[in-house]
């Protein structure tokens, strides 16, 4: 499986900075943005707490088996980078 990586930066209203990658099949930025919102909501960050500065396509890469399994079941995989 080949996945596309969306580099995502979020500043929460309480001043925290989050940086993470959203990995999905396909190049639909709207889906990547929705998955980023879903992932943040799972961590207790409600929609009104989030000011998403951008979620943009970065590159494509072959998927590690763990990543491929998550994408097959949930539609996405998140790689936390900063502040997560």
């Amino acid at each position: 499986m080949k996945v596309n990586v969306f580099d995502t930066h979020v500043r929460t209203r309480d001043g925290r900075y989050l940086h993470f990658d959203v990995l999905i099949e396909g190049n639909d930025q709207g889906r990547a943005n929705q998955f980023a919102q879903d992932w943040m909501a799972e961590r207790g960050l409600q929609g009104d707490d989030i000011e998403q500065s951008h979620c943009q396509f970065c590159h494509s890469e072959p998927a590690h088996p763990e990543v491929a399994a998550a994408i097959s079941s949930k539609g996405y995989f998140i790689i936390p980078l900063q502040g997560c």
Side-chain angles (χ1 to χ4, degrees):
M1 171 187 292
K2 193 150 192 145
V3 297
N4 291 315
V5 179
F6 288 80
D7 186 39
T8 305
H9 300 262
V10 176
R11 178 82 53 192
T12 64
R13 294 210 179 169
D14 64 1
R16 287 182 290 160
Y17 170 73
L18 307 177
H19 177 206
F20 54 93
D21 287 341
V22 179
L23 282 62
I24 64 169
E25 280 190 291
N27 200 19
D28 184 341
Q29 187 167 350
R31 280 185 63 226
N33 191 19
Q34 183 58 55
F35 289 141
Q37 296 285 339
D38 294 347
W39 184 78
M40 289 183 289
E42 289 173 6
R43 277 138 190 84
L45 296 169
Q46 301 303 317
D48 61 344
D49 294 331
I50 299 163
E51 295 174 16
Q52 192 158 13
S53 57
H54 68 275
C55 180
Q56 66 184 30
F57 175 72
C58 181
H59 66 279
S60 297
E61 64 185 49
H64 182 278
E66 175 188 357
V67 171
I71 290 173
S72 292
S73 67
K74 291 178 70 174
Y76 68 96
F77 185 82
I78 301 291
I79 300 175
L81 299 170
Q82 289 177 273
C84 299

